[in-house]
Amino acid sequence: MQRQQQVKIPTKRNRKRRVLSALARVSLFTVLGVTSVAAKAVTVKVTDEEGQPVNEAVVWFESSQLTKQSAITKLDYKMGQRDRAFTPHILVVPKGAQVSFPNYDSILHHVYSFSAAQPFEFKLYRDNPQALTFANTGVVELGCNIHDWMLGYILVVDSTHFAITNDKGVADVSLSKPVAQDVTIHVWHEGFADLDQPESIKMTTLKTNQTLTYQLNQSLFKPKEDFSDEFDDYE
């Protein structure tokens, strides 16, 4: 899913960064030691190219040794509309999860997505929440046919071990047990030039109660400005 806007051309310095070998990129991970977070969790700190924390980055682990937890898939996921905005702005769910779309506003919304992972349309509604099962992995970009400035994302992943970073760039990902081999960390952000391409790195081991630092290998687009109007015709 390429962004419908001008793509920033990387400088020579950035081009060198983009051709880093997998081995070199793995060196971006720094094990900082055992932390005091809840038992059986991995703390991941995501930073940008300048080492600054990245907010609302999605982090998830995949491995043949990580059993998918059905209880996580069956949780009550919601992508609401409140104050003419999607809430949460980014929702991550495991493949096969059902998401409802409650309208908390006193006005009508018309939610849709043209994303290849899950195209759909919920026509004008207010009182009856719509729901949909997301059976395919990928990024589902959301819009509202009435309020053009509304933008949200549902990221569907093939994992039940995921989290979103806070304003300090930190995400705590639950982990039922250590992983000795065959583990991949994925990182996604709405600022990526290609929304369908998360950054991924294979790791040899993954321990519980450890902290990792992941530095992004690309520049981020700035969030879109809010073009919302004070009034609309669907009160």
Side-chain angles (χ1 to χ4, degrees), residues 179-183 202-206:
V179 181
Q181 60 184 8
D182 183 32
V183 59
K202 291 188 177 297
M203 303 175 60
T204 55
T205 60
L206 183 63

Side-chain angles (χ1 to χ4, degrees), residues 81 83-84 103-109 126-127 234-235:
Q81 303 103 55
D83 297 330
R84 297 174 175 85
N103 182 356
Y104 301 113
D105 286 331
S106 60
I107 59 176
L108 300 175
H109 288 296
R126 179 172 58 195
D127 299 324
Y234 289 88
E235 297 288 349

Side-chain angles (χ1 to χ4, degrees), residues 27-38:
S27 68
L28 296 178
F29 282 99
T30 305
V31 178
L32 301 181
V34 177
T35 68
S36 59
V37 298

Side-chain angles (χ1 to χ4, degrees), residues 50-118:
E50 305 302 324
Q52 297 302 309
V54 176
N55 188 26
E56 292 193 321
V58 180
V59 179
W60 71 99
F61 294 104
E62 291 183 14
S63 172
S64 59
Q65 296 185 352
L66 287 175
T67 303
K68 296 183 178 66
Q69 302 175 21
S70 60
I72 302 297
T73 303
K74 295 177 181 178
L75 288 176
D76 186 18
Y77 294 99
K78 297 180 184 295
M79 172 59 79
Q81 303 103 55
R82 188 190 301 275
D83 297 330
R84 297 174 175 85
F86 285 108
T87 178
H89 178 60
I90 297 172
L91 176 67
V92 54
V93 302
K95 182 173 67 173
Q98 184 180 80
V99 179
S100 61
F101 292 77
N103 182 356
Y104 301 113
D105 286 331
S106 60
I107 59 176
L108 300 175
H109 288 296
H110 185 142
V111 179
Y112 71 93
S113 177
F114 295 130
S115 304
Q118 187 72 67

